[in-house]
Amino acid sequence: QVQLTESGGGAVQAGDSLRLTCVATGRKFSCMGWFREFPGKERRLVAGIYSGKTHSSDSVKGRFTISQDDAKTTLDLQINNLRSEDTGLYYCAANRYCVGGAYDATRYEHWGQGTQVTVSS
């Protein structure tokens, strides 16, 4: 059975850094991503690795770095220079067959439980 376990969220000050880690058990994935949930429960890709290519939203370029281990079971998101607008619930997700685009949340079959990031200014 596949399970995604997230860790690393927390409450920090603006300008601080956090590292979010997602560990997949049950199988490896070539397509994984970190999503953030917005009002209305919409989940948007923050950053991900999809069939060897890195994807990220424009709002985080230069501040967020995504990486995956060689075993393709751990996905890390390094977040630097956090801003108050980065506050939110972050989810790890995995797409078993790499179907559809990296940014399409509906294509990801497996989701973690979510980890809260709170940035105060």
Side-chain angles (χ1 to χ4, degrees):
Q1 183 175 353
V2 173
Q3 187 172 359
L4 303 181
T5 304
E6 301 136 333
S7 61
V12 297
Q13 298 287 320
D16 286 351
S17 298
L18 280 176
R19 188 175 187 89
L20 305 186
T21 296
C22 173
V23 178
T25 55
R27 64 161 289 142
K28 63 180 182 180
F29 292 95
S30 294
C31 296
M32 298 181 73
W34 280 98
F35 286 77
R36 181 181 160 191
E37 188 168 272
F38 286 84
K41 303 297 183 183
E42 179 189 6
R43 294 181 183 181
R44 300 176 193 167
L45 183 75
V46 174
I49 294 180
Y50 215 72
S51 297
K53 294 183 179 180
T54 299
H55 300 267
S56 62
S57 67
D58 289 341
S59 64
V60 306
K61 280 185 168 66
R63 298 189 298 122
F64 288 28
T65 303
I66 192 84
S67 61
Q68 188 180 37
D69 67 338
D70 291 341
K72 294 183 172 31
T73 59
T74 301
L75 188 72
D76 287 327
L77 182 66
Q78 177 68 36
I79 312 174
N80 297 325
N81 191 21
L82 277 155
R83 305 169 180 169
S84 57
E85 55 263 38
D86 295 323
T87 294
L89 190 56
Y90 288 74
Y91 289 90
C92 175
N95 184 334
R96 180 172 182 175
Y97 299 108
C98 299
V99 175
Y103 295 86
D104 187 352
T106 65
R107 297 292 191 171
Y108 290 74
E109 304 96 335
H110 307 286
W111 292 84
Q113 77 283 1
T115 186
Q116 178 68 34
V117 172
T118 302
V119 185
S120 56
S121 56

